[in-house]
Amino acid sequence: LYRKKGITDPYYCWVGFIGPELPLYIFIFFGKDHVDIHEANAAIVEKIGDEGDALYEKTMNLIKKMEHKSGNVLQDLTYTPEKD
């Protein structure tokens, strides 16, 4: 749907197999702050329209439990290799 609508905002989707409630899906979105992420999300929701709403509703019917966590990268604890 992102490709079809020309949405280029990056995100990661990881599937985890840990704990009793499997599978576990982790989505990671990027932005300079929480406001930036929410504004980008609002623009995406507008672009995907009714088709996105239908997909969201179908997906939510499959979800047993949902948690929201947010955080920031701590640059002093992050290793970024130098580019060649």
Coordinates of all heavy atoms in Angstrom, one line a residue:
L1 N 0.8 -1.2 0.0 CA 0.0 0.0 0.0 C 0.9 1.3 0.0 O 0.6 2.2 -0.7 CB -1.0 0.0 1.2 CG -2.0 1.1 1.2 CD1 -2.9 1.1 0.0 CD2 -2.9 0.9 2.4
Y2 N 2.0 1.2 0.8 CA 2.9 2.4 0.8 C 3.4 2.6 -0.7 O 3.5 3.7 -1.1 CB 4.1 2.1 1.7 CG 4.0 2.6 3.1 CD1 2.8 2.4 3.8 CD2 5.0 3.3 3.7 CE1 2.7 2.9 5.1 CE2 4.9 3.8 5.0 CZ 3.7 3.6 5.7 OH 3.6 4.0 7.0
R3 N 3.9 1.6 -1.3 CA 4.4 1.7 -2.7 C 3.3 2.2 -3.6 O 3.6 3.1 -4.4 CB 5.0 0.3 -3.1 CG 5.8 0.4 -4.4 CD 6.4 -0.9 -4.8 NE 7.3 -1.4 -3.7 CZ 7.2 -2.6 -3.2 NH1 6.3 -3.5 -3.7 NH2 7.9 -3.0 -2.2
K4 N 2.2 1.6 -3.5 CA 1.0 2.0 -4.4 C 0.7 3.5 -4.3 O 0.4 4.2 -5.2 CB -0.2 1.1 -4.1 CG -1.4 1.4 -4.9 CD -2.5 0.5 -4.5 CE -3.8 0.8 -5.2 NZ -4.9 -0.1 -4.7
K5 N 0.8 4.0 -3.0 CA 0.4 5.4 -2.8 C 1.6 6.4 -2.9 O 1.5 7.5 -2.6 CB -0.2 5.5 -1.4 CG -1.5 4.7 -1.2 CD -2.6 5.3 -2.1 CE -3.9 4.5 -1.8 NZ -5.1 5.1 -2.5
G6 N 2.8 5.8 -3.2 CA 4.0 6.7 -3.3 C 4.5 7.2 -2.0 O 5.1 8.3 -2.0
I7 N 4.3 6.5 -0.9 CA 4.8 6.9 0.4 C 6.2 6.4 0.6 O 6.5 5.2 0.4 CB 3.9 6.4 1.5 CG1 2.5 6.9 1.3 CG2 4.5 6.7 2.9 CD1 1.4 6.3 2.2
T8 N 7.1 7.3 0.9 CA 8.6 6.9 1.0 C 9.1 7.0 2.4 O 10.3 6.7 2.6 CB 9.4 7.8 0.0 OG1 9.2 9.2 0.4 CG2 9.0 7.6 -1.4
D9 N 8.3 7.3 3.4 CA 8.8 7.4 4.8 C 9.2 6.0 5.2 O 8.5 5.0 5.1 CB 7.6 7.8 5.7 CG 7.2 9.3 5.4 OD1 7.1 9.6 4.2 OD2 7.0 10.0 6.4
P10 N 10.4 5.9 5.7 CA 11.0 4.5 6.1 C 10.4 4.1 7.4 O 10.0 4.9 8.3 CB 12.5 4.8 6.2 CG 12.6 6.2 6.6 CD 11.4 6.9 5.9
Y11 N 10.3 2.8 7.6 CA 10.0 2.1 8.9 C 10.6 0.7 8.9 O 10.9 0.2 7.8 CB 8.5 2.1 9.1 CG 7.7 1.2 8.2 CD1 7.5 -0.1 8.6 CD2 7.2 1.6 7.0 CE1 6.8 -1.0 7.7 CE2 6.5 0.8 6.2 CZ 6.3 -0.5 6.5 OH 5.6 -1.4 5.7
Y12 N 10.8 0.2 10.1 CA 11.2 -1.2 10.2 C 10.1 -2.0 10.8 O 9.3 -1.5 11.6 CB 12.4 -1.3 11.2 CG 13.7 -0.8 10.7 CD1 14.6 -0.2 11.6 CD2 14.1 -0.8 9.4 CE1 15.8 0.3 11.2 CE2 15.3 -0.3 9.0 CZ 16.2 0.2 9.9 OH 17.4 0.7 9.5
C13 N 10.0 -3.2 10.3 CA 9.0 -4.2 10.9 C 9.8 -5.4 11.2 O 10.3 -6.1 10.3 CB 7.9 -4.5 9.9 SG 6.8 -5.8 10.6
W14 N 9.9 -5.8 12.5 CA 10.6 -7.0 12.9 C 9.6 -8.0 13.5 O 8.6 -7.6 14.1 CB 11.6 -6.6 14.0 CG 12.7 -5.8 13.6 CD1 13.2 -5.5 12.3 CD2 13.6 -5.0 14.4 NE1 14.2 -4.7 12.3 CE2 14.5 -4.3 13.6 CE3 13.7 -4.8 15.8 CZ2 15.5 -3.5 14.1 CZ3 14.7 -4.0 16.3 CH2 15.6 -3.3 15.4
V15 N 9.8 -9.2 13.2 CA 9.0 -10.3 13.8 C 9.8 -11.0 14.8 O 10.9 -11.5 14.6 CB 8.5 -11.3 12.7 CG1 7.6 -12.3 13.3 CG2 7.8 -10.6 11.6
G16 N 9.3 -11.1 16.1 CA 10.0 -11.7 17.1 C 9.3 -13.0 17.5 O 8.1 -13.2 17.4
F17 N 10.1 -13.9 18.0 CA 9.6 -15.2 18.5 C 10.2 -15.4 19.9 O 11.1 -16.2 20.1 CB 10.0 -16.3 17.5 CG 9.5 -16.2 16.2 CD1 10.2 -15.6 15.1 CD2 8.1 -16.6 15.9 CE1 9.6 -15.5 13.9 CE2 7.6 -16.4 14.7 CZ 8.3 -15.9 13.7
I18 N 9.6 -14.6 20.8 CA 10.1 -14.7 22.2 C 8.8 -14.5 23.1 O 8.0 -13.7 22.8 CB 11.1 -13.6 22.5 CG1 11.8 -13.8 23.8 CG2 10.5 -12.2 22.4 CD1 13.0 -12.9 24.0
G19 N 8.7 -15.3 24.1 CA 7.6 -15.3 25.0 C 6.4 -16.1 24.6 O 6.4 -16.7 23.5
P20 N 5.4 -16.1 25.4 CA 4.2 -16.9 25.1 C 3.2 -16.4 24.1 O 2.5 -17.2 23.5 CB 3.5 -17.0 26.5 CG 3.9 -15.7 27.2 CD 5.3 -15.4 26.7
E21 N 3.2 -15.1 23.8 CA 2.3 -14.6 22.9 C 3.0 -14.3 21.5 O 3.5 -13.3 21.3 CB 1.7 -13.3 23.4 CG 0.9 -13.6 24.7 CD 0.3 -12.3 25.3 OE1 0.0 -11.4 24.5 OE2 0.0 -12.3 26.5
L22 N 3.0 -15.3 20.7 CA 3.7 -15.3 19.4 C 2.7 -15.2 18.2 O 1.6 -15.8 18.3 CB 4.6 -16.5 19.3 CG 5.7 -16.6 20.4 CD1 6.4 -17.9 20.2 CD2 6.6 -15.4 20.4
P23 N 3.1 -14.7 17.1 CA 4.4 -13.9 16.9 C 4.2 -12.5 17.5 O 3.2 -12.0 17.7 CB 4.5 -13.9 15.4 CG 3.2 -14.0 14.9 CD 2.4 -14.8 15.9
L24 N 5.4 -11.9 17.7 CA 5.5 -10.5 18.2 C 6.0 -9.6 17.0 O 7.0 -9.9 16.4 CB 6.5 -10.5 19.3 CG 7.0 -9.1 19.8 CD1 5.9 -8.4 20.5 CD2 8.2 -9.3 20.7
Y25 N 5.2 -8.6 16.7 CA 5.6 -7.7 15.6 C 6.1 -6.4 16.3 O 5.4 -5.8 17.1 CB 4.5 -7.4 14.7 CG 4.1 -8.7 13.9 CD1 3.2 -9.6 14.3 CD2 4.8 -8.9 12.7 CE1 2.9 -10.7 13.6 CE2 4.5 -10.1 11.9 CZ 3.5 -10.9 12.4 OH 3.2 -12.1 11.7
I26 N 7.2 -5.9 15.8 CA 7.7 -4.6 16.3 C 7.9 -3.7 15.1 O 8.5 -4.0 14.1 CB 9.1 -4.8 17.0 CG1 9.0 -5.8 18.1 CG2 9.7 -3.5 17.4 CD1 10.3 -6.3 18.7
F27 N 7.2 -2.5 15.2 CA 7.3 -1.5 14.2 C 8.1 -0.3 14.7 O 7.9 0.2 15.8 CB 5.9 -1.0 13.7 CG 5.2 -2.1 13.0 CD1 4.4 -3.0 13.6 CD2 5.3 -2.1 11.6 CE1 3.7 -4.0 12.9 CE2 4.6 -3.1 10.9 CZ 3.8 -4.0 11.5
I28 N 9.1 0.2 13.9 CA 9.9 1.3 14.3 C 9.8 2.4 13.3 O 10.0 2.1 12.1 CB 11.4 0.9 14.5 CG1 11.5 -0.2 15.6 CG2 12.3 2.1 14.8 CD1 12.8 -0.8 15.7
F29 N 9.4 3.6 13.7 CA 9.3 4.7 12.8 C 10.3 5.8 13.2 O 10.7 5.8 14.4 CB 7.9 5.3 13.0 CG 6.8 4.4 12.6 CD1 6.2 3.5 13.5 CD2 6.4 4.3 11.2 CE1 5.2 2.6 13.2 CE2 5.4 3.4 10.9 CZ 4.8 2.5 11.8
F30 N 10.7 6.6 12.3 CA 11.8 7.5 12.5 C 11.3 9.0 12.4 O 10.4 9.3 11.6 CB 12.9 7.3 11.4 CG 13.4 5.9 11.4 CD1 12.9 5.0 10.6 CD2 14.5 5.6 12.3 CE1 13.4 3.7 10.6 CE2 15.0 4.3 12.3 CZ 14.5 3.4 11.5
G31 N 11.9 9.8 13.2 CA 11.6 11.2 13.2 C 12.5 12.0 14.1 O 13.2 11.3 15.0
K32 N 12.6 13.3 14.0 CA 13.5 14.0 14.9 C 13.0 14.2 16.3 O 13.7 14.4 17.2 CB 13.9 15.3 14.2 CG 12.8 16.2 13.9 CD 13.3 17.5 13.1 CE 12.0 18.3 12.7 NZ 12.2 19.1 11.7
D33 N 11.6 14.1 16.4 CA 11.0 14.1 17.7 C 9.6 13.5 17.6 O 9.1 13.2 16.5 CB 10.9 15.6 18.3 CG 10.3 16.6 17.3 OD1 9.4 16.2 16.6 OD2 10.7 17.7 17.4
H34 N 8.8 13.5 18.7 CA 7.5 12.9 18.6 C 6.5 13.7 17.7 O 5.7 13.1 17.0 CB 6.9 12.8 20.1 CG 7.7 11.9 21.0 ND1 7.9 10.6 20.7 CD2 8.3 12.2 22.1 CE1 8.6 10.0 21.7 NE2 8.9 11.0 22.6
V35 N 6.6 15.0 17.7 CA 5.8 15.8 16.9 C 6.0 15.5 15.4 O 5.1 15.3 14.6 CB 6.0 17.3 17.1 CG1 5.2 18.1 16.2 CG2 5.6 17.6 18.6
D36 N 7.3 15.3 15.0 CA 7.6 15.0 13.6 C 7.0 13.7 13.2 O 6.5 13.5 12.1 CB 9.2 15.0 13.5 CG 9.6 14.8 12.1 OD1 9.1 15.5 11.2 OD2 10.5 13.9 11.9
I37 N 7.1 12.7 14.1 CA 6.6 11.4 13.8 C 5.1 11.4 13.6 O 4.5 10.8 12.7 CB 7.0 10.4 14.9 CG1 8.5 10.1 14.9 CG2 6.2 9.0 14.8 CD1 9.0 9.3 16.0
H38 N 4.4 12.1 14.5 CA 2.9 12.2 14.5 C 2.5 13.0 13.2 O 1.5 12.6 12.6 CB 2.4 12.8 15.7 CG 2.4 11.9 16.9 ND1 1.6 10.8 17.0 CD2 3.2 11.8 18.0 CE1 1.9 10.1 18.1 NE2 2.9 10.7 18.7
E39 N 3.2 14.0 12.9 CA 2.8 14.8 11.6 C 3.0 13.9 10.4 O 2.2 13.9 9.5 CB 3.6 16.1 11.6 CG 3.2 17.1 12.5 CD 4.1 18.3 12.5 OE1 5.2 18.3 11.9 OE2 3.7 19.3 13.2
A40 N 4.1 13.2 10.4 CA 4.3 12.3 9.2 C 3.3 11.2 9.2 O 2.8 10.9 8.1 CB 5.7 11.6 9.3
N41 N 2.9 10.7 10.3 CA 1.8 9.6 10.3 C 0.5 10.2 9.9 O -0.2 9.5 9.1 CB 1.7 9.1 11.8 CG 0.7 7.9 11.8 OD1 0.9 6.9 11.1 ND2 -0.3 8.1 12.6
A42 N 0.2 11.4 10.3 CA -1.1 12.0 9.8 C -1.1 12.2 8.3 O -2.1 12.0 7.6 CB -1.3 13.4 10.5
A43 N 0.0 12.6 7.7 CA 0.1 12.7 6.3 C -0.1 11.4 5.6 O -0.7 11.3 4.5 CB 1.4 13.3 5.9
I44 N 0.5 10.3 6.1 CA 0.4 9.0 5.6 C -1.1 8.5 5.6 O -1.6 8.0 4.7 CB 1.3 8.0 6.3 CG1 2.8 8.3 6.0 CG2 1.0 6.5 6.0 CD1 3.8 7.5 6.8
V45 N -1.7 8.7 6.8 CA -3.1 8.3 7.0 C -4.0 9.0 5.9 O -4.9 8.4 5.3 CB -3.6 8.6 8.4 CG1 -5.1 8.5 8.5 CG2 -2.9 7.7 9.4
E46 N -3.7 10.2 5.7 CA -4.5 11.0 4.7 C -4.3 10.4 3.3 O -5.2 10.3 2.5 CB -4.1 12.5 4.7 CG -4.9 13.3 3.8 CD -4.6 14.8 3.9 OE1 -4.2 15.3 5.0 OE2 -4.6 15.5 2.9
K47 N -3.0 10.0 2.9 CA -2.7 9.5 1.6 C -3.3 8.1 1.4 O -3.8 7.8 0.3 CB -1.2 9.4 1.4 CG -0.5 10.6 1.1 CD 1.0 10.3 0.8 CE 1.7 11.6 0.4 NZ 3.1 11.3 0.2
I48 N -3.3 7.3 2.4 CA -3.9 5.9 2.2 C -5.4 5.8 2.3 O -6.0 4.9 1.8 CB -3.2 4.9 3.1 CG1 -3.5 5.2 4.6 CG2 -1.7 4.8 2.9 CD1 -2.9 4.2 5.6
G49 N -6.0 6.8 2.9 CA -7.5 7.0 2.8 C -8.3 5.8 3.2 O -7.9 5.1 4.2
D50 N -9.4 5.5 2.5 CA -10.3 4.4 2.9 C -9.6 3.1 2.7 O -10.0 2.2 3.5 CB -11.5 4.5 2.0 CG -12.4 5.7 2.2 OD1 -12.3 6.3 3.3 OD2 -13.2 6.1 1.3
E51 N -8.8 2.9 1.8 CA -8.1 1.6 1.6 C -7.2 1.3 2.8 O -7.2 0.2 3.3 CB -7.2 1.7 0.3 CG -6.7 0.3 -0.1 CD -6.0 0.4 -1.5 OE1 -5.9 1.5 -2.1 OE2 -5.6 -0.6 -1.9
G52 N -6.6 2.3 3.4 CA -5.8 2.1 4.6 C -6.7 1.9 5.8 O -6.3 1.0 6.6
D53 N -7.8 2.5 5.9 CA -8.7 2.3 7.0 C -9.2 0.9 7.0 O -9.3 0.2 8.0 CB -9.9 3.3 6.9 CG -9.6 4.7 7.2 OD1 -8.5 5.0 7.8 OD2 -10.4 5.6 6.8
A54 N -9.6 0.3 5.8 CA -10.0 -1.0 5.7 C -8.9 -2.0 6.1 O -9.2 -3.0 6.8 CB -10.5 -1.3 4.3
L55 N -7.7 -1.8 5.7 CA -6.6 -2.6 6.1 C -6.3 -2.6 7.6 O -6.1 -3.6 8.2 CB -5.3 -2.3 5.3 CG -4.1 -3.1 5.5 CD1 -4.4 -4.6 5.2 CD2 -2.9 -2.6 4.7
Y56 N -6.4 -1.4 8.1 CA -6.2 -1.2 9.6 C -7.2 -2.0 10.4 O -6.9 -2.7 11.3 CB -6.2 0.3 9.9 CG -6.0 0.6 11.4 CD1 -4.7 0.6 11.9 CD2 -7.1 0.8 12.2 CE1 -4.5 0.9 13.3 CE2 -6.9 1.1 13.6 CZ -5.6 1.1 14.1 OH -5.4 1.4 15.4
E57 N -8.5 -1.9 10.0 CA -9.5 -2.6 10.7 C -9.4 -4.1 10.6 O -9.5 -4.8 11.6 CB -10.9 -2.2 10.1 CG -12.1 -2.8 10.8 CD -13.4 -2.3 10.3 OE1 -13.5 -1.1 9.9 OE2 -14.3 -3.1 10.3
K58 N -9.0 -4.6 9.4 CA -8.8 -6.0 9.2 C -7.6 -6.5 10.1 O -7.6 -7.5 10.7 CB -8.4 -6.3 7.7 CG -8.3 -7.7 7.4 CD -8.1 -7.9 5.9 CE -7.9 -9.3 5.5 NZ -7.7 -9.5 4.0
T59 N -6.5 -5.7 10.2 CA -5.4 -6.0 11.0 C -5.7 -6.0 12.5 O -5.3 -6.9 13.2 CB -4.2 -5.0 10.7 OG1 -3.9 -5.1 9.3 CG2 -3.0 -5.4 11.5
M60 N -6.4 -5.0 12.9 CA -6.8 -4.9 14.3 C -7.6 -6.0 14.8 O -7.5 -6.4 16.0 CB -7.4 -3.5 14.6 CG -6.5 -2.3 14.4 SD -5.0 -2.4 15.3 CE -5.5 -2.3 17.0
N61 N -8.4 -6.6 13.9 CA -9.2 -7.8 14.3 C -8.4 -9.0 14.6 O -8.8 -10.0 15.2 CB -10.2 -8.1 13.2 CG -11.4 -7.1 13.2 OD1 -11.8 -6.6 14.2 ND2 -11.9 -6.9 12.0
L62 N -7.1 -9.0 14.1 CA -6.2 -10.1 14.4 C -5.3 -10.0 15.6 O -4.7 -10.9 16.0 CB -5.3 -10.3 13.1 CG -6.0 -10.6 11.8 CD1 -5.0 -10.6 10.7 CD2 -6.8 -11.9 11.9
I63 N -5.3 -8.8 16.2 CA -4.4 -8.5 17.2 C -5.0 -8.8 18.6 O -6.1 -8.4 18.9 CB -4.0 -7.0 17.2 CG1 -3.2 -6.7 16.0 CG2 -3.3 -6.5 18.5 CD1 -2.8 -5.3 15.7
K64 N -4.2 -9.5 19.4 CA -4.7 -9.9 20.8 C -4.4 -8.8 21.8 O -5.1 -8.6 22.7 CB -4.0 -11.2 21.2 CG -4.3 -12.4 20.4 CD -3.6 -13.6 20.9 CE -3.4 -14.6 19.9 NZ -2.5 -15.7 20.3
K65 N -3.2 -8.2 21.6 CA -2.7 -7.3 22.6 C -1.8 -6.3 21.9 O -1.1 -6.6 21.0 CB -1.9 -8.0 23.7 CG -1.3 -7.2 24.7 CD -0.5 -8.0 25.7 CE 0.2 -7.2 26.8 NZ 0.9 -8.0 27.7
M66 N -1.9 -5.0 22.3 CA -1.0 -4.0 21.7 C -0.5 -3.1 22.7 O -1.2 -2.7 23.7 CB -1.8 -3.2 20.7 CG -1.0 -2.2 19.9 SD -1.9 -1.6 18.4 CE -2.8 -0.2 19.2
E67 N 0.8 -2.8 22.6 CA 1.5 -1.9 23.5 C 2.2 -0.8 22.7 O 2.7 -1.1 21.6 CB 2.5 -2.6 24.4 CG 1.9 -3.6 25.4 CD 2.9 -4.3 26.2 OE1 4.0 -3.7 26.4 OE2 2.7 -5.4 26.7
H68 N 2.3 0.4 23.2 CA 3.0 1.4 22.6 C 4.2 1.9 23.4 O 4.0 2.2 24.6 CB 2.1 2.6 22.3 CG 2.8 3.8 21.7 ND1 3.2 4.9 22.4 CD2 3.1 4.0 20.4 CE1 3.8 5.7 21.6 NE2 3.7 5.2 20.4
K69 N 5.3 1.9 22.9 CA 6.5 2.3 23.6 C 7.2 3.4 22.7 O 7.2 3.2 21.5 CB 7.5 1.2 23.8 CG 6.9 0.0 24.5 CD 6.7 0.3 26.0 CE 6.2 -1.0 26.7 NZ 5.7 -0.7 28.0
S70 N 7.8 4.4 23.3 CA 8.6 5.3 22.5 C 9.9 5.6 23.2 O 10.0 5.4 24.4 CB 7.8 6.6 22.3 OG 7.5 7.2 23.5
G71 N 10.9 6.0 22.4 CA 12.2 6.3 23.0 C 13.0 7.0 22.0 O 12.7 7.2 20.9
N72 N 14.2 7.2 22.5 CA 15.2 7.9 21.6 C 16.5 7.2 21.7 O 16.9 6.5 22.6 CB 15.5 9.3 22.2 CG 14.2 10.2 22.1 OD1 13.5 10.2 21.1 ND2 13.9 10.8 23.2
V73 N 17.3 7.3 20.6 CA 18.6 6.8 20.5 C 19.6 7.6 21.4 O 19.6 8.8 21.3 CB 19.2 6.7 19.1 CG1 20.6 6.3 19.0 CG2 18.3 5.9 18.2
L74 N 20.3 6.9 22.3 CA 21.3 7.7 23.1 C 22.6 7.6 22.3 O 23.3 6.6 22.2 CB 21.5 7.0 24.4 CG 20.2 7.0 25.3 CD1 20.5 6.2 26.6 CD2 19.8 8.4 25.6
Q75 N 23.0 8.8 21.7 CA 24.2 8.8 20.9 C 25.5 8.4 21.6 O 26.3 7.8 21.0 CB 24.3 10.2 20.3 CG 23.2 10.6 19.3 CD 23.1 9.7 18.1 OE1 24.1 9.2 17.6 NE2 21.9 9.5 17.6
D76 N 25.6 8.7 22.9 CA 26.8 8.3 23.6 C 26.9 6.8 23.8 O 28.0 6.3 24.1 CB 26.9 9.1 24.9 CG 25.7 8.8 25.8 OD1 24.6 8.6 25.3 OD2 25.9 8.9 27.1
L77 N 25.8 6.1 23.6 CA 25.8 4.6 23.7 C 25.7 3.9 22.4 O 25.5 2.7 22.3 CB 24.7 4.2 24.7 CG 24.8 4.7 26.1 CD1 23.6 4.3 26.9 CD2 26.1 4.3 26.8
T78 N 25.8 4.7 21.3 CA 25.6 4.1 20.0 C 26.9 4.1 19.2 O 27.7 5.0 19.2 CB 24.6 5.0 19.2 OG1 23.4 5.1 20.0 CG2 24.3 4.5 17.8
Y79 N 27.1 3.0 18.5 CA 28.3 2.9 17.7 C 27.8 3.0 16.2 O 27.0 2.3 15.7 CB 29.0 1.5 17.8 CG 30.0 1.2 16.8 CD1 31.2 1.9 16.9 CD2 29.8 0.3 15.8 CE1 32.2 1.7 15.9 CE2 30.8 0.1 14.8 CZ 32.0 0.8 14.9 OH 33.0 0.6 14.0
T80 N 28.4 4.0 15.6 CA 28.1 4.2 14.1 C 29.5 4.1 13.4 O 30.3 4.9 13.6 CB 27.5 5.6 13.9 OG1 26.3 5.7 14.7 CG2 27.1 5.7 12.4
P81 N 29.6 3.0 12.6 CA 30.9 2.9 11.9 C 31.1 4.1 10.9 O 30.2 4.6 10.3 CB 30.8 1.6 11.1 CG 29.4 1.2 11.2 CD 28.7 2.0 12.3
E82 N 32.4 4.4 10.7 CA 32.7 5.5 9.8 C 32.5 5.0 8.3 O 32.7 3.8 8.0 CB 34.2 5.9 9.9 CG 34.4 6.6 11.3 CD 35.9 7.1 11.4 OE1 36.5 7.2 10.3 OE2 36.3 7.3 12.5
K83 N 32.0 5.9 7.5 CA 31.8 5.5 6.1 C 33.1 5.5 5.4 O 34.0 6.3 5.6 CB 30.8 6.5 5.4 CG 29.4 6.5 6.1 CD 28.5 7.4 5.4 CE 27.1 7.3 6.0 NZ 26.2 8.2 5.4
D84 N 33.2 4.6 4.4 CA 34.5 4.5 3.6 C 34.7 5.7 2.7 O 33.8 6.3 2.1 CB 34.5 3.2 2.8 CG 34.6 2.0 3.7 OD1 35.0 2.2 4.8 OD2 34.1 1.0 3.3

